[in-house]
Amino acid sequence: MKLSNRYIFRLLGIGVLAILLWVSIAYIVPYTPGMESRPGDGEYRITSLQEGNERYFEGPVYFEFADRHSGIKNSPVFKLHFINTRNKAGRGFGFVIPLRGNGQSITQDIYEVTSRNKRFASANESVFGYADLILGEDRLFFTESGSISINQATDLEVSGKVDMLLTDAEGNSMKLVGQFNALPLNSVQNY
């Protein structure tokens, strides 16, 4: 009888240790933003790395087609507007992608920022972006390098990934990486 009780206690002890190990692992493994599947309709999830600090941004994202109002030609552009709902109205970040043709569609492709050395020659073909987030200071960041990958594009939705390096006037940099699923800007009443 003593042998069977000892065997039962050992099994119970192993079971309790297994449960404790499972629970502790569940709490030890940190939550990493963006681990979920793709963002919902009209949403983005982007991680920012700046000066060793990682921040997570999410919120509404919209797209629109417009004419460029600078340079020699008013060539069409595709605009992405990422809204930061935690800060003042108008804060967030956005990207402008030059288009070819009629300017009313964007295709599945990788759109890259042209390096500073080549910008003068091909300024109309480079992705331009900015970040105005107020992260303790009022600093504006502009694209330095990186790309936007468009994975799906229809009239009602454009989804893809952002992988950009932005810098401010003082040379500080910010890395933005994440996903978006943008809706048309004209589908929003109060932008």
Side-chain angles (χ1 to χ4, degrees):
M1 199 78 159
K2 285 186 175 184
L3 185 61
S4 64
N5 282 341
R6 199 178 328 172
Y7 181 72
I8 291 172
F9 283 122
R10 283 186 181 172
L11 284 177
L12 284 173
I14 291 172
V16 168
L17 284 175
I19 290 172
L20 287 174
L21 180 64
W22 179 73
V23 169
S24 65
I25 288 174
Y27 282 102
I28 291 173
V29 175
Y31 168 76
T32 304
M35 288 176 65
E36 310 87 12
S37 60
R38 107 182 190 180
D41 291 345
E43 296 178 350
Y44 71 90
R45 293 185 188 108
I46 291 185
T47 303
S48 162
L49 183 61
Q50 180 184 0
E51 300 171 1
N53 296 319
E54 189 173 81
R55 291 185 175 90
Y56 180 66
F57 297 98
E58 62 182 355
V61 58
Y62 306 103
F63 72 88
E64 69 174 317
F65 296 95
D67 287 332
R68 182 187 309 221
H69 298 290
S70 66
I72 298 170
K73 298 188 277 182
N74 285 342
S75 57
V77 293
F78 173 79
K79 295 181 178 182
L80 282 168
H81 304 279
F82 296 79
I83 310 302
N84 184 3
T85 55
R86 291 187 223 163
N87 286 324
K88 299 176 187 176
R91 301 294 183 180
F93 47 97
F95 299 97
V96 177
I97 300 173
L99 298 174
R100 295 184 179 100
N102 67 2
Q104 294 303 311
S105 65
I106 190 160
T107 60
Q108 294 178 5
D109 204 346
I110 298 174
Y111 299 90
E112 295 182 326
V113 175
T114 304
S115 71
R116 286 186 190 256
N117 298 338
K118 298 179 183 178
R119 274 192 196 161
F120 184 72
S122 59
N124 290 334
E125 297 179 13
S126 182
V127 173
F128 170 77
Y130 68 90
D132 184 10
L133 300 171
I134 300 193
L135 301 174
E137 299 176 22
D138 197 7
R139 296 189 294 184
L140 235 100
F141 289 81
F142 297 101
T143 49
E144 179 71 26
S145 63
S147 65
I148 295 178
S149 302
I150 303 294
N151 302 330
Q152 180 181 357
T154 68
D155 292 340
L156 302 176
E157 153 185 272
V158 174
S159 61
K161 296 179 182 178
V162 173
D163 185 358
M164 291 282 181
L165 179 67
L166 296 94
T167 57
D168 67 4
E170 290 143 17
N172 300 307
S173 64
M174 174 193 310
K175 177 85 171 168
L176 295 176
V177 178
Q179 298 182 21
F180 64 90
N181 189 22
L183 296 176
L185 181 61
N186 61 10
S187 67
V188 181
Q189 298 299 323
N190 295 325
Y191 171 56

